[in-house]
Amino acid sequence: PAAELIVHHEPINDFANPNGTKGMNSMSMPFPPAKGLSLEGLAIGDPVELTFAYWSTPGSMGYEMTKITKLPPGTELHFGKAGAEASPPR
């Protein structure tokens, strides 16, 4: 089983940062899968939709991928800065 999956994700406009600001620009980052989450059937370059859990307490933070769904080939993705104008609704 994979220890993590590197994902280049779209902007996340409603992400609440620990410093109180909102938004996360698109970037490549590792997402560790939650225990029991299968990555079977995925290949490098597949477009995916994922859900992740994030937690932050003073002095500690973490996150893990809780769900992943393979999207159809050719799915259009939008990368860039977080903000209402950066990522149109899908």
Side-chain angles (χ1 to χ4, degrees):
E4 64 185 22
L5 179 69
I6 305 295
V7 175
H8 187 171
H9 66 75
E10 294 177 297
I12 306 172
N13 295 328
D14 59 353
F15 183 80
N17 294 294
N19 66 5
T21 62
K22 283 251 184 185
M24 181 187 295
N25 295 336
S26 63
M27 67 176 89
S28 293
M29 59 185 290
F31 280 90
K35 186 175 181 170
L37 182 66
S38 174
L39 302 179
E40 189 174 331
L42 298 176
I44 293 172
D46 284 343
V48 297
E49 178 177 54
L50 65 89
T51 303
F52 67 99
Y54 168 79
W55 56 93
S56 177
T57 59
S60 173
M61 66 168 270
Y63 58 93
E64 68 183 5
M65 182 175 22
T66 58
K67 181 180 177 183
I68 188 163
T69 304
K70 186 174 176 177
L71 298 172
T75 297
E76 186 177 340
L77 302 174
H78 303 276
F79 300 106
K81 295 190 180 286
E85 72 284 351
S87 56
R90 297 182 351 158

